[in-house]
Each structure stands twice: as C-alpha cells, then as structure tokens.
Amino acid sequence: MIRHVVAWKLRTEDPAERAAQAAKVSADLGALREVVPSIVDLSIGPDVVGGGNWDVALVADFADQAGLDAYQTHPDHQAVVGYVRSVVGDRVAVDFEV
C-alpha cells in the first residue's frame, strides 16, 4: 500500500478568503473518492487548530504505485489541480509504503 500525504499553504493573507479556499480545495479533492477508482482511502481537510504551519492536508492510500499514478493523471484530479495551483503558495508531499 502507498500512502500519499500532501499539505498546502494558501497564498492569501485574508482569513475569510483562506477559509473559503481551504473549504473548496477540501471539497473538490474529497469528491475524487467517488470518481477515481484507484483510491483505497482518502482523508482531507483544512487546519482546524489554526497552528499556522499548513492550511490544508490530504492523506490518500493506494494499493500500489500504479494506483497512485492513475490518481495523479486522472482527468478529474487534473481539473482540481488547476484550481489548487491557482491559490497555493507552497506545497509539501511525501509518498511511503504502509
């Protein structure tokens, strides 16, 4: 099993705009559970504590590297990536075996 972990820091400094963007990123990526067959499990959400390090985090599991690759290139994922890139200032990701 491959676990894909990503966190994003949004570019905006406005708290209301940040909250709206974080909610949209979470909803749009979360909706991929229903359309990308290779997703085994997916959890995503905005930071609820307000620690200030990262604004949104995703944890997704795939049976193998091929499943992760299928997710990365899936057209619905690519459509969401366009919006995410337009609002994100920084991104960190790691993929590891579980």
Side-chain angles (χ1 to χ4, degrees):
M1 175 115 19
I2 301 291
R3 181 157 291 159
H4 177 62
V5 180
V6 185
W8 297 271
K9 185 175 294 270
L10 299 172
R11 196 175 307 124
T12 184
E13 295 294 324
D14 179 78
E17 187 176 26
R18 178 180 288 120
Q21 290 174 354
K24 179 168 174 48
V25 168
S26 297
D28 290 356
L29 287 170
L32 295 176
R33 283 184 208 99
E34 306 304 320
V35 295
V36 180
S38 65
I39 295 172
V40 173
D41 194 23
L42 186 145
S43 298
I44 184 165
D47 177 38
V48 296
V49 177
N53 292 323
W54 298 92
D55 298 306
V56 182
L58 172 139
V59 178
D61 291 335
F62 301 89
D64 52 25
Q65 182 66 47
L68 174 58
D69 293 344
Y71 165 76
Q72 295 286 15
T73 59
H74 193 282
D76 290 324
H77 177 255
Q78 288 300 306
V80 174
V81 166
Y83 174 74
V84 172
R85 287 184 178 158
S86 76
V87 298
V88 165
D90 202 1
R91 174 187 178 272
V92 63
V94 64
D95 302 299
F96 60 94
E97 289 189 24
V98 292

